Amino acid sequence: MNEDRKNALNVIKNRLMEANDFPALSRAVTMVSHKATKLDETSIRELADVILDDLSITNKILKKVNSIGYASAQGGGRITTITRAVFVAGFEKVKSIALSILLFETLKDKATADYLKADIVTSIMSGAMARDIAAAIGIRKCEEIFIYAVFHDLGKLLVTFLLPLKLREIMKLVKKGAMIEERAVKQTLGVSYQEIGMDIAAQWSFSKEMISTMNNIDGSVVSQPKTESDKIHKIICFANEMSKAMTQDIKQIRGSFSKIMERYASAIPLTHERIVQIIGDSAKEMVEYSHNYESKANMGNTLKHITKAVELLNRKDPDVPEEDDEDLEAQELDTFDFGEQLNKPKRPLYSTIARDMPHNAGDILTKGIQDVSQFMLGGASFNEVLDAILNLMYRSIGFSRVLFCVKHTHDPFMEGRFGLGDNITEIIKLFRFELCESPDFFNLSISRNKEMIVDDINDERIKSRVPDWYRKLLDSQTFMLLPISVNDKPIGIIYADKPSAGDIKISSTIFNSLKVLRDHLKMAIKKSVRLRD
């Protein structure tokens, strides 16, 4: 960095340090990001101690974790401590919630203008979008990616909320049409938003990978990523651009959406329909965020606008004139039916990609079962055991997907909760069926507590036992079911699939090993319930 930029950056940093809220924010974020770097007893205690310094933030984190539904996955009961939140929801999940709350609790009361509220909404929404896109294309660092995306525009957020006079100068230049925002920022501040954000992020002990994702991507076409870090960077920039596009004038939404999709066509291998679905889910999450945190910076208008944008993108008739879009009624997101897609397509919503079973599947399972046993003896949490078991099943057999369903706490339904595989984030949200006396395979497996492998869902002898909701959701022709019951009460089921009939060719020995893993999961559930009690 040349001397002029260095001096300009130092001036901005000094002004930020003079802002009322920045020093406290800086100390808190540094503590969370620097101390909470690994999953062990010490780091969990340190993370809890940092969060407990602020009772209001503690309560908001607990509220968020309980709203996600982790408590019901553990057999019911509310999560009442930060340590238990880490135990149940996972270390990275709680850390990501803590960091986003620390940032936005500091900024929210300063958000008086609508465009300032929109900055808060788009930052959190881009985090949710980036996380879901990463999961859909098979990247496992989803919670880290959420944090990366939320803080992608850190420099702009800090200037916007903590240096309002400087922001006013920038906006005047842009409004006059004298220059684009990026040039106006450099002329006013001497450095770009990205340079400010990256420097502060380094000061806050954020990782080098996270800091590298703060750079925007130039050019009319974004190339196919060459490495995983490159892929993460492009996902974050895509989510950031798309979330901002959703706050534009409603007449511009379709055009902006299409341009961004076209620009990132080589980098983001998801269909238009899937991206719209992810945008809708992210918007719905923003509503929950707003309700849970009871922000004084009411985000209602921005959220209604985004809901309207999602509704517009979901419309099937592209020939309706843009002028008619103004007449769309903005719906509240909690009444917007994001699951109605199940009733629309004639073909299944999601296709299934084949994965080969390793030649040494039996050895992988035998060694894996030993590792899981040791893992459990070492005091691993339920979520860690679940993750290890699902991963082992997924790797050893080459399933296309593995999904863990949990019985709803109060209602007679099984719901997807965790999983691995193609499009799993979207599928989990739609994988839900009623527990009843139906003769379909899912209810039979659960009611009889019997493991099943359905070899061909279109076999004339058994096809009536494959429920309609399943055929509408997936095109997998073969699947396995491993029911889980505790004290003769059904509490969950493991589902795994492959694309074509007859693809699940496993010996009785391997099938027994899969049942052993299921039993290990049952033991982990019993242990977690005892700990809760």
Side-chain angles (χ1 to χ4, degrees):
M1 183 183 297
N2 62 39
E3 199 63 29
D4 289 342
R5 286 190 175 185
K6 187 176 180 181
N7 291 336
L9 193 54
N10 285 333
V11 169
I12 295 299
K13 286 167 65 178
N14 289 336
R15 286 179 177 168
L16 287 172
M17 290 305 297
E18 292 166 3
N20 290 335
D21 300 294
F22 185 78
L25 169 66
S26 187
R27 285 194 298 273
V29 171
T30 301
M31 290 278 280
V32 173
S33 62
H34 180 63
K35 285 191 173 184
T37 54
K38 60 186 184 300
L39 180 57
D40 59 27
E41 186 178 345
T42 303
S43 61
I44 290 173
R45 187 170 61 250
E46 287 178 338
L47 178 59
D49 288 345
V50 171
I51 293 169
L52 288 168
D53 281 343
D54 189 321
L55 183 60
S56 68
I57 289 178
T58 300
N59 290 335
K60 287 176 172 64
I61 290 172
L62 293 176
K63 200 169 187 179
K64 175 67 174 174
V65 172
N66 280 296
S67 74
I68 296 170
Y70 286 106
S72 63
Q74 295 290 302
R78 292 189 63 77
I79 297 166
T80 57
T81 67
I82 293 297
T83 303
R84 177 149 177 78
V86 173
F87 177 87
V88 173
F91 185 75
E92 287 297 336
K93 184 72 179 179
V94 173
K95 180 179 169 183
S96 71
I97 294 171
L99 284 170
S100 59
I101 292 176
L102 283 169
L103 179 64
F104 291 103
E105 279 296 296
T106 301
L107 303 182
K108 70 174 186 180
D109 293 335
K110 298 180 179 294
T112 53
D114 283 343
Y115 71 90
L116 299 186
K117 297 171 191 174
D119 283 345
I120 293 179
V121 171
T122 54
S123 290
I124 303 177
M125 185 172 164
S126 68
M129 281 182 61
R131 180 198 61 215
D132 289 355
I133 291 168
I137 63 179
I139 297 176
R140 296 195 59 202
K141 297 163 65 174
C142 296
E143 292 307 330
E144 292 167 76
I145 290 169
F146 172 86
I147 300 175
Y148 293 1
V150 166
F151 283 82
H152 176 78
D153 276 339
L154 176 62
K156 182 178 181 182
L157 287 167
L158 293 176
V159 171
T160 298
F161 290 92
L162 302 179
L163 300 177
L165 294 180
K166 286 294 178 184
L167 176 70
R168 194 174 300 168
E169 291 178 37
I170 294 167
M171 298 305 289
K172 277 184 180 178
L173 289 172
V174 175
K175 194 171 183 179
K176 287 178 182 177
M179 59 188 69
I180 61 173
E181 186 175 4
E182 187 176 343
R183 285 184 58 197
V185 171
K186 287 191 175 181
Q187 178 171 309
T188 306
L189 304 178
V191 287
S192 67
Y193 287 140
Q194 284 73 39
E195 288 169 312
I196 296 169
M198 292 168 79
D199 193 85
I200 297 298
Q203 181 181 312
W204 286 352
S205 302
F206 285 168
S207 68
K208 289 181 180 179
E209 182 181 55
M210 177 175 177
I211 294 170
S212 70
T213 65
M214 290 182 171
N215 275 316
N216 291 329
I217 298 175
D218 298 322
S220 57
V221 176
V222 178
S223 62
Q224 187 174 350
K226 296 180 174 62
T227 64
E228 181 162 292
S229 293
D230 188 25
K231 187 182 293 184
I232 289 170
H233 182 205
K234 286 169 179 174
I235 288 171
I236 289 166
C237 289
F238 172 85
N240 182 265
E241 291 179 31
M242 192 63 82
S243 62
K244 289 175 181 175
M246 293 302 105
T247 65
Q248 292 178 342
D249 186 283
I250 202 69
K251 292 181 181 180
Q252 300 174 344
I253 296 292
R254 277 187 184 147
S256 296
F257 176 85
S258 297
K259 284 178 184 176
I260 296 170
M261 288 297 294
E262 185 176 349
R263 182 169 178 248
Y264 282 87
S266 299
I268 308 295
L270 297 177
T271 64
H272 285 215
E273 291 76 17
R274 222 162 278 165
I275 292 296
V276 172
Q277 204 171 37
I278 288 173
I279 294 171
D281 290 338
S282 302
K284 194 172 184 182
E285 188 168 325
M286 271 306 309
V287 170
E288 294 171 0
Y289 185 99
S290 180
H291 289 167
N292 288 334
Y293 300 160
E294 298 168 352
S295 172
K296 291 179 184 177
N298 191 320
M299 303 173 192
N301 290 337
T302 303
L303 292 172
K304 284 181 181 180
H305 183 87
I306 293 172
T307 306
K308 189 175 178 181
V310 173
E311 183 184 42
L312 175 63
L313 293 173
N314 269 318
R315 286 168 64 183
K316 300 300 182 184
D317 185 0
D319 297 324
V320 174
E322 293 290 345
E323 289 76 16
D324 291 347
D325 295 335
E326 289 184 341
D327 298 328
L328 288 174
E329 290 295 328
Q331 294 173 295
E332 292 292 344
L333 274 172
D334 57 2
T335 62
F336 187 83
D337 187 2
F338 289 92
E340 68 180 357
Q341 297 94 328
L342 276 176
N343 296 318
K344 289 183 177 179
K346 294 179 181 178
R347 292 183 297 176
L349 273 177
Y350 298 104
S351 57
T352 306
I353 297 174
R355 297 178 67 247
D356 294 332
M357 185 169 75
H359 65 87
N360 59 337
D363 294 336
I364 294 173
L365 278 170
T366 300
K367 176 66 167 59
I369 289 170
Q370 293 172 357
D371 292 341
V372 168
S373 299
Q374 291 298 316
F375 199 39
M376 293 174 69
L377 290 172
S381 72
F382 169 76
N383 271 25
E384 291 169 323
V385 173
L386 173 62
D387 185 58
I389 288 173
L390 296 187
N391 264 289
L392 182 54
M393 288 183 174
Y394 184 69
R395 285 189 300 109
S396 62
I397 310 302
F399 285 119
S400 298
R401 300 181 194 88
V402 177
L403 177 65
F404 174 61
C405 296
V406 177
K407 183 183 180 296
H408 191 278
T409 309
H410 305 295
D411 300 324
F413 285 93
M414 279 285 177
E415 300 176 320
R417 189 60 53 83
F418 304 101
L420 295 166
D422 193 40
N423 307 317
I424 198 65
T425 301
E426 297 97 323
I427 290 168
I428 283 173
K429 294 166 185 173
L430 300 173
F431 203 103
R432 186 174 190 266
F433 61 93
E434 184 179 7
L435 294 174
C436 57
E437 295 182 0
S438 168
D440 69 78
F441 284 119
F442 292 86
N443 274 287
L444 284 174
S445 177
I446 291 167
S447 63
R448 299 178 183 180
N449 196 26
K450 182 175 178 58
E451 305 84 7
M452 294 183 177
I453 294 178
V454 178
D455 195 54
D456 180 1
I457 66 170
N458 294 316
D459 186 319
E460 289 293 335
R461 295 168 297 177
I462 62 170
K463 69 178 185 180
S464 62
R465 295 187 181 275
V466 179
D468 287 341
W469 66 263
Y470 180 85
R471 292 186 184 275
K472 290 176 181 178
L473 181 62
L474 299 171
D475 70 352
S476 305
Q477 303 296 299
T478 181
F479 57 82
M480 176 188 75
L481 300 173
L482 300 176
I484 301 171
S485 63
V486 174
N487 298 328
D488 295 325
K489 293 182 179 179
I491 60 169
I493 192 168
I494 296 172
Y495 162 90
D497 66 20
K498 279 178 172 281
S500 302
D503 276 353
I504 303 179
K505 290 185 171 67
I506 56 176
S507 65
S508 58
T509 302
I510 287 178
F511 195 28
N512 286 333
S513 295
L514 294 173
K515 294 177 190 176
V516 169
L517 284 172
R518 183 271 316 274
D519 293 340
H520 276 55
L521 184 57
K522 188 187 299 186
M523 286 189 285
I525 292 171
K526 289 180 177 179
K527 179 182 176 183
S528 70
V529 171
R530 285 198 302 272
L531 287 172
R532 177 175 55 80
D533 295 338

